[in-house]
């Protein structure tokens, strides 16, 4: 059984299978709807149903209030059409966006190794190329876990393998399996590409990237893509970590900085003893950001990816230095634990 979804204001109709979410149907048809967490927690994919009925699925009561349900709003990542429907959604027409259809892939684990004590790197080989835009992510299917998990792609689109950085979540079933059981030679399934976190290349202005923890994945992909394309604009990457064990790929970025005069790499450690031999910046990412740019970020675009406290601190710093919402792009982390707790959120910015 299938249903028709008519999308306003673009007037495009697509087909949805029985039990398929509205978001999945749209993405597989090449129609991008705003979304972020994929768990019904963040509220980014909220759309209005103009005609027809939907099952709300696992939508959080915090992300979609009762009065909003009464008004006909749904969370596209969870809602399923119960017949033909008409929805009204914000369709972004950003000139730098690539409208790539969501597809299913099967891959072999070509390599798996620890990058830090808590982050494992996976390199996946697929039988056909995976089209994606630097900054996007995959939804990885884990055996025995009901919903797929989102992991940002860390390699440049020009590369053959898909690289993922998997941070172990305490008591996490999915990340526990990905760390402890998945081995080289085994096969996994994922859907890609997902997300709306990408570089606004047409702006042609200097770029700032700030990454924390496994949030390095997307900035790594973006920086590698820019340098591979021969970008000559100033690019600055600030990588925050607690200590040297958790600072990874810094040798790669140091080498890139040596080869590319327009690329500046600034690692910063927040939990390192004063007597330790560390010549880099000490403190938090937002402090290094402020110091390096002398608190003046005008004329830049900034891309932030990491734990919410880091992201929020960097946003505040950037805005104090006269860089505002239109030039700041974020990718926030949402885990299955977020979906379980479904705590109310009041972020300064929507996650992209």
């Amino acid at each position: 059984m299938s249903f028709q979804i008519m999308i306003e204001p673009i007037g495009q109709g697509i087909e949805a299978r029985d039990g398929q979410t509205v978001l999945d149907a749209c993405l597989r048809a090449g129609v991008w709807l705003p979304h972020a967490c994929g768990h019904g927690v963040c509220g980014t994919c909220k759309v209005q149903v103009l005609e027809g009925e939907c099952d709300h699925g696992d939508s959080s009561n915090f992300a979609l209030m009762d009065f909003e349900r009464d008004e006909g709003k749904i969370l596209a990542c969870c809602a399923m059409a119960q017949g033909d429907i008409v929805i009204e959604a914000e369709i972004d027409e950003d000139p730098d966006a690539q409208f790539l259809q969501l597809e299913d892939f099967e891959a072999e684990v070509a390599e798996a190794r620890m990058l830090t004590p808590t982050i494992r790197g996976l390199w996946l080989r697929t039988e056909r190329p995976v089209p994606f835009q630097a900054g996007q992510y995959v939804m990885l299917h884990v055996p025995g876990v009901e919903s797929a998990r989102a992991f940002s792609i860390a390699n440049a689109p020009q590369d053959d393998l898909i690289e993922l950085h998997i941070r172990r979540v305490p008591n996490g079933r999915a990340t526990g399996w990905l760390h402890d059981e998945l081995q080289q030679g085994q096969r996994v399934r994922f859907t890609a590409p997902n997300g709306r976190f990408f570089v606004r290349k047409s702006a042609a202005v200097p770029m700032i990237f700030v990454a924390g923890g496994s949030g390095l994945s997307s900035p790594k992909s973006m920086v590698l893509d820019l340098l591979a394309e021969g970008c000559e604009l100033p690019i600055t990457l600030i990588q925050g970590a607690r200590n040297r064990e958790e600072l990874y790929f810094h040798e790669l970025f140091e080498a890139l900085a040596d080869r590319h005069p327009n690329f500046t790499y600034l690692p910063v450690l927040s939990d390192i003893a004063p007597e330790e031999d560390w010549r880099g910046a000490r403190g938090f990412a937002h402090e290094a950001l402020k110091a390096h740019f002398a608190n003046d970020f005008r004329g830049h675009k900034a891309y932030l990816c990491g734990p919410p406290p880091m992201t929020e601190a960097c946003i505040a710093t950037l805005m104090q230095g006269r860089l505002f919402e239109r030039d700041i792009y974020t990718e926030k982390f949402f885990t299955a634990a977020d979906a379980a707790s479904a705590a109310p959120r009041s972020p300064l910015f929507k996650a992209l």
Side-chain angles (χ1 to χ4, degrees):
M1 184 183 298
S2 63
F3 308 115
Q4 189 79 4
I5 300 177
M6 179 62 67
I7 305 161
E8 299 295 351
I10 62 174
Q12 181 174 345
I14 65 170
E15 190 174 279
R17 303 186 310 274
D18 186 24
Q20 183 180 23
T21 67
V22 172
L23 178 62
D24 188 71
C26 288
L27 295 178
R28 290 181 184 277
V31 178
W32 185 86
L33 298 184
H35 63 284
C37 73
H39 298 302
V41 175
C42 69
T44 305
C45 65
K46 194 177 298 180
V47 299
Q48 180 72 46
V49 177
L50 302 177
E51 296 178 21
E53 298 292 333
C54 284
D55 180 342
H56 287 288
D58 295 328
S59 301
S60 159
N61 289 328
F62 291 111
L64 188 69
M65 302 289 189
D66 288 341
F67 76 88
E68 292 178 305
R69 297 171 191 247
D70 293 340
E71 291 173 352
K73 291 183 173 61
I74 62 169
L75 296 185
C77 72
C78 294
M80 295 162 283
Q82 294 183 307
D84 294 345
I85 62 171
V86 179
I87 64 171
E88 183 177 47
E90 295 181 16
I91 307 297
D92 189 3
E93 297 183 357
D94 192 300
D96 292 298
Q98 297 177 18
F99 295 93
L100 303 170
Q101 291 186 356
L102 189 69
E103 299 180 69
D104 297 315
F105 294 89
E106 187 170 308
E108 179 185 355
V109 179
E111 184 181 356
R113 59 184 168 87
M114 296 302 294
L115 301 173
T116 78
T118 59
I119 298 172
R120 192 184 195 209
L122 298 178
W123 284 263
L124 310 178
R125 180 181 290 111
T126 55
E127 294 181 355
R128 55 192 170 92
V130 181
F132 72 95
Q133 193 164 7
Q136 292 190 297
Y137 62 90
V138 308
M139 293 297 294
L140 188 66
H141 299 276
V142 177
V145 177
E146 183 176 354
S147 59
R149 296 295 192 261
F151 296 105
S152 297
I153 303 172
N155 57 283
Q158 298 88 348
D159 296 345
D160 294 330
L161 301 181
I162 293 296
E163 177 184 333
L164 307 178
H165 301 168
I166 313 292
R167 180 180 65 87
R168 183 190 287 274
V169 176
N171 302 315
R173 291 170 56 203
T175 60
W177 185 84
L178 291 167
H179 269 249
D180 300 333
E181 298 187 40
L182 183 63
Q183 302 298 328
Q184 182 176 341
Q186 291 182 244
R187 303 188 72 80
V188 292
R189 294 182 301 111
F190 63 85
T191 57
N194 298 271
R196 202 66 164 180
F197 190 51
F198 56 88
V199 177
R200 272 59 180 182
K201 297 178 182 178
S202 64
V205 298
M207 291 156 281
I208 302 168
F209 297 89
V210 186
S214 60
L216 179 66
S217 302
S218 290
K220 178 176 179 286
S221 176
M222 292 165 152
V223 168
L224 292 176
D225 181 45
L226 288 166
L227 295 178
E229 290 183 346
C231 176
E232 296 181 353
L233 293 166
I235 302 168
T236 301
L237 170 62
I238 296 175
Q239 182 186 6
R242 283 195 294 253
N243 52 55
R244 296 182 73 165
E245 275 192 317
E246 296 186 358
L247 184 71
Y248 68 107
F249 277 117
H250 56 285
E251 295 94 346
L252 168 66
F253 295 119
E254 287 173 346
L256 289 172
D258 288 339
R259 293 203 305 269
H260 299 275
N262 62 316
F263 176 57
T264 300
Y265 172 56
L266 179 60
V268 53
L269 303 182
S270 62
D271 187 17
I272 185 169
E275 65 274 11
E276 285 194 53
D277 180 21
W278 170 248
R279 298 180 183 180
R282 297 171 182 258
F284 294 100
H286 69 280
E287 296 170 335
L289 176 65
K290 182 177 181 178
H292 183 73
F293 287 93
N295 203 33
D296 186 351
F297 307 102
R298 289 173 294 181
H300 290 76
K301 283 191 179 292
Y303 303 87
L304 316 176
C305 188
M310 184 212 79
T311 301
E312 299 297 348
C314 287
I315 288 171
T317 298
L318 291 166
M319 294 185 73
Q320 290 166 8
R322 302 181 67 180
L323 193 71
F324 301 109
E325 180 176 358
R326 67 181 179 273
D327 294 316
I328 302 173
Y329 304 91
T330 69
E331 183 181 55
K332 295 190 178 181
F333 294 165
F334 293 92
T335 68
D338 295 320
S341 61
R345 303 174 183 275
S346 298
L348 287 174
F349 288 71
K350 258 185 210 178
L352 297 178

